[in-house]
Amino acid sequence: MSAPLRIGLAGLGTVGIGVVKIIQRHADLISARAGRPVVITAVSARDRTKNRDADLSGFVWEADPVALAARDDVDVLVEVMGGHDGPAKLATEAAIAAGKDVVTANKALLAHHGQALAEAAEAKGRVIRFEAAVAGGIPVIKTLTEGLAGNQMRRVMGVMNGTCNYILTRMQAAGLPYEVVFEEARQLGYLEADPNLDVGGIDAGHKLALLAAIAFGTKVSFDKVELEGIGNVSIDDINLADDMGYHIKLLGVAQMTGRGLEQRMTPCLVPAESPLGQLQGGTNMVVLEGDSVGQIVMRGAGAGEGPTASAVMADVIDIARGTRVSTFGRPASTLATPIAAKSATPASYYLRMTLLDKPGALAKIATALGEAGISIDQMRQLNQPGEADNKATVLIVTHKASPSDVAFAMAQFDTTGVLIGAPVAIRIEEV
Ligand code: NAP
Ligand code: HSE
């Protein structure tokens, strides 16, 4: 049996303790699969006195994660502290400088610094692995970098933030408004310390940017992801969409087009009966489309102690085995700088607006759509409960239209003088 692979574990929170438990519970299994034992030698966290749900007595305590990363008795840094700057970045850089491999669950770190860190690691002949950073327990990074390595990827899509999917599906199931369910999610401990990372779409945008880099061979470009969170999704829209056979999801889509790389993370309508439409609660789903393989759908827990630690361990065991894959599936120096393309792929749109209920009001809206070159597929006027007599809610589903034509039409609506409040436009994604 070869020498053990020695881990320095930076972070003893949800994920870190999950890693400790798997290594302690499955020592023999891991050793058999890796061909050598995998052991933790030293750990680091902020508060040494904190009561943690695991036996840490056999590990050296290192107060400073940077010192942990550089220790002689550490072969691999497992970084599960979080944060895109500060100790996570410093410890990762220190590990690479000291010639160690790194496993991280930190999507924020890689979305912001992935290119520089991958180049630094490769210059030292080391690897950075991040299976846990995207869609928790779903092995999507391995699938893209290895299982689908022979494909030209066409599109990657997915629901990659469990908290948002929990909020949207709970709103629908209970008929509750966003604010109430947001508060429930907070009470349940689902929200990140900064909730905007979840509901603002940022966390999911980080994940999409990482998948896009692998799928399309481009440098991570999180700053070019079109981002819109779920804060404006109303229970009315969820119910009206449901009536028409759609569910609303915070959906990420990345694809390479003739104009450049499109990346968007926005609320979308998807067919209720589709795999994405059926996705309930905090679960994640990633859809991968390659030229040879066609479509692959992967579903599973996107977060939580066990699923996330499972993904960390897959990376650790690969390193123990000697499996070495470049961070983004090819040498970082060969990743292209992407031309960022604003989404132009046409789609049908769901439009909801409140109009003055008077002769000619609807005609003005129809004219604005016609002038934008947009054709109406379905239209309904609804009497919403409690709506005043002089107001009417109007729901329109368009035929396929480009995002810029829809934006033009929305601007035209404002000039009609019949609109009350802001209209809503949500893309209907074909999945
Ligand atoms: P967490 O529960 O908040 O734990 C963070 C750990 O890092 C804590 O043990 C904390 O120490 C330690 N830490 C923070 N700052 C530190 C510092 N300056 N020096 C030393 N230790 C420090 O976080 P988590 O949920 O485990 O998440 C860890 C990483 O995994 C994040 O990047 C997150 O985005 C990612 N991730 C998490 C999940 C999930 O389900 N939780 C899923 C996918 C990815 P104390 O305990 O002493 O405070
Ligand atoms: N906040 C994230 C989510 C955790 O809700 O999916 C996992 O990255």
Side-chain angles (χ1 to χ4, degrees), residues 105 107 132-136 160-165 190-192 197-198 203-204 207 282-284 302-304 308:
K107 54 266 177 178
V134 180
M160 300 178 216
N161 183 276
T163 304
C164 288
N165 203 55
Y190 289 177
L191 288 159
E192 302 271 349
L197 288 175
D198 286 316
D203 168 82
K207 295 167 182 168
T283 314
N284 282 198
T308 313

PDB file of all heavy atoms in Angstrom, residues 105 107 132-136 160-165 190-192 197-198 203-204 207 282-284 302-304 308, ligand 2:
ATOM      1  N   ALA A 105     -14.767  23.776  -2.365  1.00  0.00           N
ATOM      2  CA  ALA A 105     -16.208  23.804  -2.648  1.00  0.00           C
ATOM      3  C   ALA A 105     -16.643  25.226  -2.970  1.00  0.00           C
ATOM      4  O   ALA A 105     -17.840  25.513  -3.054  1.00  0.00           O
ATOM      5  CB  ALA A 105     -16.978  23.294  -1.427  1.00  0.00           C
ATOM      6  N   LYS A 107     -17.373  28.192  -4.942  1.00  0.00           N
ATOM      7  CA  LYS A 107     -17.666  28.698  -6.295  1.00  0.00           C
ATOM      8  C   LYS A 107     -17.363  30.182  -6.430  1.00  0.00           C
ATOM      9  O   LYS A 107     -16.952  30.654  -7.496  1.00  0.00           O
ATOM     10  CB  LYS A 107     -19.131  28.437  -6.683  1.00  0.00           C
ATOM     11  CG  LYS A 107     -20.177  28.943  -5.714  1.00  0.00           C
ATOM     12  CD  LYS A 107     -20.590  27.888  -4.737  1.00  0.00           C
ATOM     13  CE  LYS A 107     -21.582  28.392  -3.707  1.00  0.00           C
ATOM     14  NZ  LYS A 107     -22.023  27.363  -2.801  1.00  0.00           N
ATOM     15  N   ALA A 132     -17.526  20.010  -5.730  1.00  0.00           N
ATOM     16  CA  ALA A 132     -18.566  20.419  -4.770  1.00  0.00           C
ATOM     17  C   ALA A 132     -19.063  21.844  -5.010  1.00  0.00           C
ATOM     18  O   ALA A 132     -20.103  22.236  -4.464  1.00  0.00           O
ATOM     19  CB  ALA A 132     -18.025  20.311  -3.346  1.00  0.00           C
ATOM     20  N   ALA A 133     -18.332  22.601  -5.818  1.00  0.00           N
ATOM     21  CA  ALA A 133     -18.690  24.007  -5.971  1.00  0.00           C
ATOM     22  C   ALA A 133     -19.919  24.208  -6.849  1.00  0.00           C
ATOM     23  O   ALA A 133     -20.591  25.240  -6.772  1.00  0.00           O
ATOM     24  CB  ALA A 133     -17.497  24.775  -6.564  1.00  0.00           C
ATOM     25  N   VAL A 134     -20.226  23.227  -7.698  1.00  0.00           N
ATOM     26  CA  VAL A 134     -21.360  23.383  -8.622  1.00  0.00           C
ATOM     27  C   VAL A 134     -22.354  22.245  -8.395  1.00  0.00           C
ATOM     28  O   VAL A 134     -22.016  21.075  -8.553  1.00  0.00           O
ATOM     29  CB  VAL A 134     -20.898  23.377 -10.098  1.00  0.00           C
ATOM     30  CG1 VAL A 134     -22.093  23.550 -11.030  1.00  0.00           C
ATOM     31  CG2 VAL A 134     -19.866  24.467 -10.342  1.00  0.00           C
ATOM     32  N   ALA A 135     -23.546  22.611  -7.986  1.00  0.00           N
ATOM     33  CA  ALA A 135     -24.639  21.643  -7.834  1.00  0.00           C
ATOM     34  C   ALA A 135     -24.323  20.552  -6.809  1.00  0.00           C
ATOM     35  O   ALA A 135     -24.734  19.403  -6.967  1.00  0.00           O
ATOM     36  CB  ALA A 135     -25.022  21.031  -9.185  1.00  0.00           C
ATOM     37  N   GLY A 136     -23.614  20.937  -5.758  1.00  0.00           N
ATOM     38  CA  GLY A 136     -23.409  20.084  -4.579  1.00  0.00           C
ATOM     39  C   GLY A 136     -23.020  18.657  -4.907  1.00  0.00           C
ATOM     40  O   GLY A 136     -21.930  18.387  -5.422  1.00  0.00           O
ATOM     41  N   MET A 160     -29.566  25.717 -10.233  1.00  0.00           N
ATOM     42  CA  MET A 160     -28.339  25.449  -9.470  1.00  0.00           C
ATOM     43  C   MET A 160     -28.328  26.155  -8.128  1.00  0.00           C
ATOM     44  O   MET A 160     -27.285  26.239  -7.484  1.00  0.00           O
ATOM     45  CB  MET A 160     -27.126  25.902 -10.277  1.00  0.00           C
ATOM     46  CG  MET A 160     -27.013  25.178 -11.602  1.00  0.00           C
ATOM     47  SD  MET A 160     -25.621  25.771 -12.520  1.00  0.00           S
ATOM     48  CE  MET A 160     -26.262  25.681 -14.174  1.00  0.00           C
ATOM     49  N   ASN A 161     -29.443  26.715  -7.738  1.00  0.00           N
ATOM     50  CA  ASN A 161     -29.527  27.267  -6.387  1.00  0.00           C
ATOM     51  C   ASN A 161     -30.755  26.684  -5.709  1.00  0.00           C
ATOM     52  O   ASN A 161     -31.891  26.998  -6.070  1.00  0.00           O
ATOM     53  CB  ASN A 161     -29.589  28.797  -6.418  1.00  0.00           C
ATOM     54  CG  ASN A 161     -29.594  29.371  -5.004  1.00  0.00           C
ATOM     55  OD1 ASN A 161     -30.637  29.469  -4.373  1.00  0.00           O
ATOM     56  ND2 ASN A 161     -28.431  29.718  -4.494  1.00  0.00           N
ATOM     57  N   GLY A 162     -30.492  25.808  -4.752  1.00  0.00           N
ATOM     58  CA  GLY A 162     -31.575  25.094  -4.087  1.00  0.00           C
ATOM     59  C   GLY A 162     -32.494  26.019  -3.315  1.00  0.00           C
ATOM     60  O   GLY A 162     -33.711  25.787  -3.240  1.00  0.00           O
ATOM     61  N   THR A 163     -31.920  27.067  -2.736  1.00  0.00           N
ATOM     62  CA  THR A 163     -32.739  27.979  -1.938  1.00  0.00           C
ATOM     63  C   THR A 163     -33.795  28.652  -2.815  1.00  0.00           C
ATOM     64  O   THR A 163     -34.965  28.755  -2.433  1.00  0.00           O
ATOM     65  CB  THR A 163     -31.834  29.034  -1.266  1.00  0.00           C
ATOM     66  OG1 THR A 163     -30.849  28.331  -0.507  1.00  0.00           O
ATOM     67  CG2 THR A 163     -32.627  29.956  -0.378  1.00  0.00           C
ATOM     68  N   CYS A 164     -33.382  29.096  -3.984  1.00  0.00           N
ATOM     69  CA  CYS A 164     -34.352  29.746  -4.881  1.00  0.00           C
ATOM     70  C   CYS A 164     -35.417  28.744  -5.320  1.00  0.00           C
ATOM     71  O   CYS A 164     -36.601  29.090  -5.409  1.00  0.00           O
ATOM     72  CB  CYS A 164     -33.646  30.331  -6.109  1.00  0.00           C
ATOM     73  SG  CYS A 164     -32.684  31.792  -5.713  1.00  0.00           S
ATOM     74  N   ASN A 165     -34.988  27.521  -5.609  1.00  0.00           N
ATOM     75  CA  ASN A 165     -35.990  26.544  -6.048  1.00  0.00           C
ATOM     76  C   ASN A 165     -36.933  26.187  -4.909  1.00  0.00           C
ATOM     77  O   ASN A 165     -38.130  25.981  -5.121  1.00  0.00           O
ATOM     78  CB  ASN A 165     -35.325  25.283  -6.608  1.00  0.00           C
ATOM     79  CG  ASN A 165     -36.253  24.543  -7.551  1.00  0.00           C
ATOM     80  OD1 ASN A 165     -36.753  25.121  -8.513  1.00  0.00           O
ATOM     81  ND2 ASN A 165     -36.546  23.285  -7.259  1.00  0.00           N
ATOM     82  N   TYR A 190     -31.825  28.199   5.309  1.00  0.00           N
ATOM     83  CA  TYR A 190     -31.450  27.915   3.929  1.00  0.00           C
ATOM     84  C   TYR A 190     -30.636  29.040   3.289  1.00  0.00           C
ATOM     85  O   TYR A 190     -29.898  28.802   2.340  1.00  0.00           O
ATOM     86  CB  TYR A 190     -32.700  27.693   3.059  1.00  0.00           C
ATOM     87  CG  TYR A 190     -33.434  26.405   3.324  1.00  0.00           C
ATOM     88  CD1 TYR A 190     -34.607  26.107   2.653  1.00  0.00           C
ATOM     89  CD2 TYR A 190     -32.958  25.474   4.245  1.00  0.00           C
ATOM     90  CE1 TYR A 190     -35.298  24.928   2.881  1.00  0.00           C
ATOM     91  CE2 TYR A 190     -33.644  24.296   4.486  1.00  0.00           C
ATOM     92  CZ  TYR A 190     -34.808  24.027   3.800  1.00  0.00           C
ATOM     93  OH  TYR A 190     -35.483  22.871   4.028  1.00  0.00           O
ATOM     94  N   LEU A 191     -30.832  30.265   3.779  1.00  0.00           N
ATOM     95  CA  LEU A 191     -30.224  31.411   3.094  1.00  0.00           C
ATOM     96  C   LEU A 191     -28.766  31.594   3.484  1.00  0.00           C
ATOM     97  O   LEU A 191     -28.376  31.353   4.632  1.00  0.00           O
ATOM     98  CB  LEU A 191     -31.006  32.686   3.429  1.00  0.00           C
ATOM     99  CG  LEU A 191     -32.379  32.793   2.772  1.00  0.00           C
ATOM    100  CD1 LEU A 191     -33.263  33.781   3.520  1.00  0.00           C
ATOM    101  CD2 LEU A 191     -32.238  33.217   1.309  1.00  0.00           C
ATOM    102  N   GLU A 192     -27.957  32.004   2.522  1.00  0.00           N
ATOM    103  CA  GLU A 192     -26.576  32.376   2.798  1.00  0.00           C
ATOM    104  C   GLU A 192     -26.584  33.568   3.764  1.00  0.00           C
ATOM    105  O   GLU A 192     -27.590  34.278   3.890  1.00  0.00           O
ATOM    106  CB  GLU A 192     -25.875  32.811   1.493  1.00  0.00           C
ATOM    107  CG  GLU A 192     -25.854  31.769   0.392  1.00  0.00           C
ATOM    108  CD  GLU A 192     -24.645  30.849   0.463  1.00  0.00           C
ATOM    109  OE1 GLU A 192     -23.704  31.124   1.227  1.00  0.00           O
ATOM    110  OE2 GLU A 192     -24.661  29.829  -0.251  1.00  0.00           O
ATOM    111  N   LEU A 197     -26.881  36.640  -2.262  1.00  0.00           N
ATOM    112  CA  LEU A 197     -26.111  35.647  -3.021  1.00  0.00           C
ATOM    113  C   LEU A 197     -27.059  34.587  -3.576  1.00  0.00           C
ATOM    114  O   LEU A 197     -26.896  34.121  -4.704  1.00  0.00           O
ATOM    115  CB  LEU A 197     -25.061  34.978  -2.125  1.00  0.00           C
ATOM    116  CG  LEU A 197     -23.853  35.826  -1.734  1.00  0.00           C
ATOM    117  CD1 LEU A 197     -22.972  35.065  -0.756  1.00  0.00           C
ATOM    118  CD2 LEU A 197     -23.049  36.221  -2.967  1.00  0.00           C
ATOM    119  N   ASP A 198     -28.072  34.219  -2.798  1.00  0.00           N
ATOM    120  CA  ASP A 198     -29.062  33.244  -3.263  1.00  0.00           C
ATOM    121  C   ASP A 198     -30.113  33.920  -4.144  1.00  0.00           C
ATOM    122  O   ASP A 198     -30.179  33.674  -5.345  1.00  0.00           O
ATOM    123  CB  ASP A 198     -29.770  32.581  -2.065  1.00  0.00           C
ATOM    124  CG  ASP A 198     -28.890  31.577  -1.347  1.00  0.00           C
ATOM    125  OD1 ASP A 198     -28.216  30.790  -2.020  1.00  0.00           O
ATOM    126  OD2 ASP A 198     -28.894  31.585  -0.108  1.00  0.00           O
ATOM    127  N   ASP A 203     -25.036  33.412  -6.537  1.00  0.00           N
ATOM    128  CA  ASP A 203     -24.474  32.070  -6.287  1.00  0.00           C
ATOM    129  C   ASP A 203     -24.678  31.165  -7.512  1.00  0.00           C
ATOM    130  O   ASP A 203     -23.740  30.492  -7.964  1.00  0.00           O
ATOM    131  CB  ASP A 203     -25.171  31.479  -5.044  1.00  0.00           C
ATOM    132  CG  ASP A 203     -24.886  30.005  -4.865  1.00  0.00           C
ATOM    133  OD1 ASP A 203     -23.826  29.671  -4.323  1.00  0.00           O
ATOM    134  OD2 ASP A 203     -25.737  29.181  -5.272  1.00  0.00           O
ATOM    135  N   ALA A 204     -25.870  31.181  -8.049  1.00  0.00           N
ATOM    136  CA  ALA A 204     -26.141  30.340  -9.230  1.00  0.00           C
ATOM    137  C   ALA A 204     -25.358  30.858 -10.435  1.00  0.00           C
ATOM    138  O   ALA A 204     -24.898  30.073 -11.274  1.00  0.00           O
ATOM    139  CB  ALA A 204     -27.642  30.321  -9.515  1.00  0.00           C
ATOM    140  N   LYS A 207     -21.911  29.503 -10.399  1.00  0.00           N
ATOM    141  CA  LYS A 207     -21.868  28.095 -10.830  1.00  0.00           C
ATOM    142  C   LYS A 207     -21.976  27.996 -12.357  1.00  0.00           C
ATOM    143  O   LYS A 207     -21.256  27.224 -12.995  1.00  0.00           O
ATOM    144  CB  LYS A 207     -23.005  27.325 -10.149  1.00  0.00           C
ATOM    145  CG  LYS A 207     -22.831  27.246  -8.626  1.00  0.00           C
ATOM    146  CD  LYS A 207     -24.101  26.765  -7.928  1.00  0.00           C
ATOM    147  CE  LYS A 207     -23.937  26.735  -6.424  1.00  0.00           C
ATOM    148  NZ  LYS A 207     -25.188  26.557  -5.695  1.00  0.00           N
ATOM    149  N   GLY A 282     -35.367  22.049  -2.566  1.00  0.00           N
ATOM    150  CA  GLY A 282     -33.977  22.504  -2.663  1.00  0.00           C
ATOM    151  C   GLY A 282     -33.115  21.693  -3.603  1.00  0.00           C
ATOM    152  O   GLY A 282     -31.890  21.805  -3.569  1.00  0.00           O
ATOM    153  N   THR A 283     -33.736  20.885  -4.441  1.00  0.00           N
ATOM    154  CA  THR A 283     -32.972  20.023  -5.346  1.00  0.00           C
ATOM    155  C   THR A 283     -32.408  20.824  -6.517  1.00  0.00           C
ATOM    156  O   THR A 283     -32.969  21.841  -6.902  1.00  0.00           O
ATOM    157  CB  THR A 283     -33.905  18.912  -5.877  1.00  0.00           C
ATOM    158  OG1 THR A 283     -34.635  18.398  -4.774  1.00  0.00           O
ATOM    159  CG2 THR A 283     -33.147  17.787  -6.512  1.00  0.00           C
ATOM    160  N   ASN A 284     -31.307  20.350  -7.065  1.00  0.00           N
ATOM    161  CA  ASN A 284     -30.709  20.972  -8.257  1.00  0.00           C
ATOM    162  C   ASN A 284     -30.895  20.058  -9.461  1.00  0.00           C
ATOM    163  O   ASN A 284     -31.063  18.848  -9.307  1.00  0.00           O
ATOM    164  CB  ASN A 284     -29.191  21.169  -8.077  1.00  0.00           C
ATOM    165  CG  ASN A 284     -28.816  22.369  -7.212  1.00  0.00           C
ATOM    166  OD1 ASN A 284     -27.694  22.836  -7.242  1.00  0.00           O
ATOM    167  ND2 ASN A 284     -29.742  22.889  -6.422  1.00  0.00           N
ATOM    168  N   GLY A 302     -28.266  19.754  -4.121  1.00  0.00           N
ATOM    169  CA  GLY A 302     -27.295  20.780  -4.489  1.00  0.00           C
ATOM    170  C   GLY A 302     -26.551  21.337  -3.301  1.00  0.00           C
ATOM    171  O   GLY A 302     -25.653  22.165  -3.455  1.00  0.00           O
ATOM    172  N   ALA A 303     -26.916  20.907  -2.116  1.00  0.00           N
ATOM    173  CA  ALA A 303     -26.292  21.452  -0.917  1.00  0.00           C
ATOM    174  C   ALA A 303     -26.493  20.480   0.231  1.00  0.00           C
ATOM    175  O   ALA A 303     -27.130  19.435   0.074  1.00  0.00           O
ATOM    176  CB  ALA A 303     -26.908  22.816  -0.577  1.00  0.00           C
ATOM    177  N   GLY A 304     -25.921  20.834   1.387  1.00  0.00           N
ATOM    178  CA  GLY A 304     -26.068  20.000   2.581  1.00  0.00           C
ATOM    179  C   GLY A 304     -24.781  19.253   2.883  1.00  0.00           C
ATOM    180  O   GLY A 304     -23.935  19.059   2.008  1.00  0.00           O
ATOM    181  N   THR A 308     -22.514  17.563  -0.281  1.00  0.00           N
ATOM    182  CA  THR A 308     -21.377  18.415  -0.650  1.00  0.00           C
ATOM    183  C   THR A 308     -20.064  17.735  -0.287  1.00  0.00           C
ATOM    184  O   THR A 308     -19.097  17.741  -1.057  1.00  0.00           O
ATOM    185  CB  THR A 308     -21.501  19.798   0.023  1.00  0.00           C
ATOM    186  OG1 THR A 308     -22.845  20.271  -0.170  1.00  0.00           O
ATOM    187  CG2 THR A 308     -20.553  20.795  -0.579  1.00  0.00           C
TER     188      THR A 308
HETATM  189  N1  HSE B   2     -26.912  28.618  -1.221  1.00  0.00           N
HETATM  190  C1  HSE B   2     -26.650  27.521  -2.085  1.00  0.00           C
HETATM  191  C2  HSE B   2     -27.992  26.957  -2.565  1.00  0.00           C
HETATM  192  C3  HSE B   2     -25.843  26.473  -1.356  1.00  0.00           C
HETATM  193  O1  HSE B   2     -29.045  27.321  -2.025  1.00  0.00           O
HETATM  194  O2  HSE B   2     -28.030  26.174  -3.502  1.00  0.00           O
HETATM  195  C4  HSE B   2     -25.141  25.513  -2.256  1.00  0.00           C
HETATM  196  O3  HSE B   2     -24.243  26.124  -3.111  1.00  0.00           O
END
